[in-house]
Amino acid sequence: MQKKNNNKPGSGKKPRSSGRKNFNNNRQQFTPSFKKTPDIHEIEYSDGITVGQLAKKCGRNSSDIIKVLFMQGKAVTINSELDDDLVETVCLEYDIEPKKVKPKDEDSLEDDVADDPSQLVERPPIVTIMGHVDHGKTTLLDTIRRTKVAAGEAGGITQAIGAYQVSIKGRKISFLDTPGHEAFTAMRARGASVTDIAVIVVAADDGVMPQTREAVDHAKAANVPMIVAVNKMDRPDANPDRVMNEMSELGIMPEEWGGDTIFVPISAKKGTGVEDLLETIVTVADVKELKANPNRLATGTVIEAKLDKGRGPVATLLIQNGTLKQGDPVVVGTCFGKVRKMTDEDGRELKKAGPARPCEIIGLNDVPEAGDVFKAFDSEKEARAVADRRNRRKIEASRRKTAAVSLEDLSKEIEAGEIQEIPIIIKADVQGSAEAVKSSLEKLDVKGVKINVIHSTAGAINDNDIMLANASKAMIIGFNVRPDANIRKKAEENGVSIRLHNIIYKATEEMENAMKGMLAPVYTEVIVGEAEIRETYKVSRIGTIGGCMVTSGKLIAHCGIRLIRDGIVVYEGKLGSLRRFKDDVKEVSQGYECGITIENYNDIKIGDRLEAFQEQEVRQEV
Ligand code: GDP
């Protein structure tokens, strides 16, 4: 990778004007001769800084900055946004060290206010159930709910709102009602970390299966403690030892074997062991000392949302801190509203909802998305303004899509000392090659930066991989697998980088080079034009000459050429001579006639199509 400028911000090197004499001489004629130089040696800036804003930070006039950039061949106005290179160019000129910082989001809904420790009280844990298909996740969620919710309380209409809370010996537990790591990781990909504990359900008659492994990797990537529910213990062929063995191989060691994961034998169908499981959840939660402050405005996450014909937008919210009250103005994602009515999973009206409480609310002006964060406000006016600004920004951001991680970003970030670990997902044709790629990548260590393989299995690259990559800012390495168009599109939409290889050392070499900041350029083909053969002439010594009309783009002397007959490529090679009338020319554009020959090829026929192409270097960023 070519560095445009070695004077990286923060590198400590003083960027100086050696070798830039011309530039400085030229500049003199523009610079007022008796201007007092402001005493500024360092500035902070963030993405989207304009010329006007930069001028202010540097203590200069906008016109000075416009001139500096003009001398570099860059025409800007006071409102132009500057990229990092241009900011550096300007700062270099004034001997100022630019430092890039993340902008503070005034309208953030994140819970970023530190709570007074004396206000903190214990809160219920929030639990997600994951595991392989048919291992009993839904049955377990149903059993827990049936036996523990609304026991003895009349009038409740059981609703599916995406989450519910149960009580066990006076302690509460909140369950997310969408089983599986897909939903879990989709939320995480949107920046929401809701789950405190993951229950991994493994059927004792089936053992660890591919989605069990996925679930474990997803929970590990999210740093969420796990409890293993060994299910279907009522089956005669139940083999809990096998489950323990296989889970140990994944690094999930049972407590009785000296590890730190609790395995609970259950039968979700019969209900046996479910009470133990709930008690275990409480025990694990106690270790985590989960706390929240109920005496403040609520913040939390959207679990589910939909448009209801009669009630309008309906959202299930999980309160993560504070207390939400009926009538509170709220901003949910980019939606605004007042909590008109709040109900629990049994349809009972709630006047208020505290930490870890799932509740359904109505009163929003639009339908938010699962994983959106929300925040309650004192003032309706403020809430409305925040929602408006967030909405506008969301639209702008969707226009300016940025990649999660690419090899190029990696090099830059390593150089800037911003990362110590590169998360990688490996998908390969067979488990053996996945293992081999994994172990060779894990050996890489460049400038103290290590590869961390968060998930590695045999199989095609799928939706879940994209989601996990997005959530974990990871890159996907495919070995002897090709993602289909759908997955490629998804990856692109999510800014997920996929690198495909079929030779292990190439995969490691590429990664190592990226870590060292030495990416080799990659070439890609660009179609430059098309032409149609209208006549042919045979000339001894030269061969067949095609008289053609350029139908789009242009033909360029000696460019790559494909001869296409009835939609089939009959020859691929290089253009020989390219002539207009009697003269050799460099190129011929659309709408003009010309004569061509193809190197080492004579079978040109009237009606054939020519496709002209060139190789172009591209930035390495897949
Ligand atoms: P999910 O795909 O993980 O949600 O699995 P389900 O909850 O849909 O269960 C799959 C099948 O396993 C269903 O036919 C359940 O009745 C059955 N099943 C679930 N738990 C148990 C159990 O503890 N014992 C037995 N024998 N069958 C169970």
Side-chain angles (χ1 to χ4, degrees):
M1 194 183 70
Q2 277 286 318
K3 278 266 166 311
K4 283 196 197 113
N5 190 338
N6 286 326
N7 294 315
K8 288 259 116 201
S11 65
K13 259 187 269 171
K14 271 279 171 269
R16 264 315 24 176
S17 50
S18 56
R20 302 172 53 125
K21 283 220 169 70
N22 274 343
F23 170 57
N24 281 334
N25 287 344
N26 282 341
R27 182 173 56 86
Q28 273 168 7
Q29 66 198 69
F30 289 105
T31 312
S33 51
F34 51 84
K35 198 166 95 179
K36 188 173 171 287
T37 312
D39 197 18
I40 296 170
H41 302 292
E42 200 179 285
I43 58 151
E44 288 188 346
Y45 75 100
S46 35
D47 269 339
I49 188 168
T50 62
V51 168
Q53 290 161 343
L54 182 63
K56 216 168 179 183
K57 282 183 188 288
C58 294
R60 260 66 183 193
N61 291 326
S62 299
S63 56
D64 294 337
I65 297 207
I66 293 170
K67 282 169 198 161
V68 167
L69 290 172
F70 180 74
M71 295 312 297
Q72 296 284 57
K74 186 83 196 165
V76 294
T77 69
I78 185 164
N79 294 320
S80 303
E81 290 188 4
L82 300 178
D83 63 17
D84 295 348
D85 281 345
L86 294 181
V87 170
E88 266 187 54
T89 305
V90 171
C91 290
L92 188 67
E93 181 57 23
Y94 296 127
D95 205 0
I96 291 172
E97 197 87 44
K99 206 169 135 212
K100 191 165 177 181
V101 292
K102 277 212 176 96
K104 179 158 169 35
D105 182 2
E106 306 275 312
D107 297 328
S108 163
L109 304 181
E110 300 296 331
D111 177 20
D112 53 3
V113 183
D115 283 302
D116 176 353
S118 68
Q119 295 283 312
L120 290 174
V121 296
E122 188 184 286
R123 69 159 173 86
I126 300 158
V127 180
T128 299
I129 294 187
M130 308 199 239
H132 193 70
V133 64
D134 279 348
H135 278 198
K137 300 179 292 292
T138 315
T139 310
L140 177 59
L141 275 162
D142 287 349
T143 304
I144 294 172
R145 184 168 177 164
R146 206 177 48 234
T147 53
K148 296 291 165 194
V149 170
E153 288 180 57
I157 315 151
T158 300
Q159 295 179 348
I161 67 165
Y164 63 77
Q165 200 170 59
V166 299
S167 289
I168 166 99
K169 297 189 175 151
R171 301 281 300 271
K172 289 185 175 130
I173 304 172
S174 295
F175 282 93
L176 298 184
D177 205 0
T178 332
H181 52 272
E182 293 85 354
F184 169 82
T185 301
M187 294 263 269
R188 215 162 64 79
R190 309 215 54 233
S193 51
V194 178
T195 304
D196 300 307
I197 296 168
V199 170
I200 310 285
V201 177
V202 190
D205 59 341
D206 203 22
V208 167
M209 287 287 136
Q211 285 168 297
T212 321
R213 279 190 209 102
E214 272 191 34
V216 167
D217 285 345
H218 284 229
K220 272 188 192 164
N223 217 0
V224 169
M226 284 172 256
I227 294 169
V228 181
V230 185
N231 192 29
K232 306 199 186 181
M233 286 299 287
D234 57 297
R235 301 270 310 233
D237 49 350
N239 185 351
D241 280 347
R242 172 177 157 206
V243 174
M244 290 209 235
N245 256 318
E246 291 172 343
M247 288 300 272
S248 308
E249 281 167 20
L250 303 180
I252 309 296
M253 191 69 83
E255 258 191 341
E256 49 266 65
W257 293 3
D260 52 14
T261 308
I262 305 178
F263 284 57
V264 188
I266 62 163
S267 165
K269 201 169 175 178
K270 299 215 147 84
T272 34
V274 172
E275 190 99 5
D276 286 346
L277 178 65
L278 297 177
E279 280 174 23
T280 307
I281 291 171
V282 172
T283 313
V284 173
D286 282 344
V287 176
K288 285 196 77 174
E289 292 188 32
L290 304 166
K291 294 209 160 121
N293 174 8
N295 303 314
R296 53 177 276 186
L297 291 163
T299 56
T301 301
V302 178
I303 302 298
E304 254 181 29
K306 61 181 182 211
L307 188 63
D308 182 284
K309 263 198 191 139
R311 297 183 295 162
V314 180
T316 298
L317 306 181
L318 185 74
I319 320 284
Q320 289 174 282
N321 205 359
T323 298
L324 187 65
K325 299 184 205 71
Q326 237 176 54
D328 274 352
V330 280
V331 176
V332 186
T334 53
C335 310
F336 157 79
K338 266 179 104 164
V339 180
R340 199 137 44 87
K341 192 175 173 196
M342 196 161 39
T343 42
D344 71 5
E345 57 272 6
D346 295 314
R348 281 180 301 235
E349 191 163 338
L350 297 167
K351 290 279 174 230
K352 54 186 190 175
R357 183 93 201 55
C359 60
E360 197 179 74
I361 67 156
I362 54 171
L364 297 177
N365 66 345
D366 205 349
V367 184
E369 287 176 56
D372 275 348
V373 283
F374 78 88
K375 190 173 178 175
F377 286 77
D378 275 326
S379 128
E380 192 175 333
K381 199 169 148 209
E382 191 191 349
R384 193 187 292 272
V386 168
D388 272 355
R389 285 196 295 269
R390 284 175 61 86
N391 208 3
R392 232 174 301 139
R393 218 167 316 151
K394 185 179 170 187
I395 295 167
E396 281 165 21
S398 65
R399 289 198 197 117
R400 258 197 336 248
K401 223 172 30 183
T402 56
V405 186
S406 70
L407 282 182
E408 234 200 17
D409 293 342
L410 257 189
S411 304
K412 283 187 192 151
E413 285 173 24
I414 291 172
E415 192 130 317
E418 282 165 11
I419 45 173
Q420 275 81 46
E421 209 177 68
I422 304 165
I424 298 273
I425 293 166
I426 299 169
K427 295 305 285 267
D429 50 347
V430 290
Q431 188 63 31
S433 45
E435 287 301 320
V437 176
K438 179 173 182 231
S439 67
S440 54
L441 281 176
E442 280 175 340
K443 282 190 200 112
L444 291 178
D445 183 350
V446 177
K447 300 179 191 165
V449 180
K450 299 281 284 177
I451 301 278
N452 176 20
V453 178
I454 58 172
H455 182 53
S456 141
T457 52
I461 299 168
N462 61 30
D463 282 358
N464 288 329
D465 299 324
I466 304 289
M467 216 110 77
L468 179 62
N470 186 355
S472 309
K473 301 267 170 285
M475 217 186 292
I476 300 177
I477 293 186
F479 190 80
N480 280 337
V481 293
R482 314 287 307 176
D484 63 22
N486 211 349
I487 293 294
R488 274 182 207 274
K489 188 161 158 256
K490 250 213 179 108
E492 198 175 307
E493 281 167 4
N494 286 287
V496 169
S497 190
I498 300 178
R499 312 290 306 183
L500 300 170
H501 291 280
N502 49 17
I503 301 171
I504 292 182
Y505 87 83
K506 287 271 185 207
T508 26
E509 186 182 71
E510 179 183 74
M511 188 53 67
E512 188 169 10
N513 285 343
M515 290 162 85
K516 286 178 180 160
M518 303 190 310
L519 279 185
V522 157
Y523 292 88
T524 189
E525 182 193 296
V526 182
I527 309 290
V528 292
E530 282 183 320
E532 213 175 86
I533 307 287
R534 301 249 163 115
E535 276 169 279
T536 56
Y537 316 90
K538 287 211 165 44
V539 179
S540 54
R541 281 194 305 125
I542 298 179
T544 308
I545 296 175
C548 54
M549 165 63 86
V550 182
T551 51
S552 72
K554 58 192 177 185
L555 296 190
I556 301 171
H558 308 298
C559 66
I561 208 88
R562 252 175 233 116
L563 190 71
I564 300 162
R565 193 171 296 155
D566 300 326
I568 294 165
V569 180
V570 291
Y571 183 75
E572 185 174 321
K574 272 180 125 188
L575 208 56
S577 56
L578 178 64
R579 289 188 157 195
R580 259 184 72 70
F581 305 107
K582 291 220 152 70
D583 303 322
D584 278 317
V585 289
K586 286 215 175 85
E587 53 180 62
V588 178
S589 298
Q590 180 181 351
Y592 290 94
E593 291 181 329
C594 56
I596 58 110
T597 59
I598 299 176
E599 268 182 27
N600 307 320
Y601 192 78
N602 283 314
D603 182 24
I604 305 174
K605 294 208 161 81
I606 295 173
D608 285 352
R609 250 178 352 104
L610 284 178
E611 191 176 81
F613 61 89
Q614 276 187 323
E615 299 281 327
Q616 265 181 21
E617 194 179 315
V618 286
R619 246 162 61 97
Q620 264 230 47
E621 204 180 16
V622 175

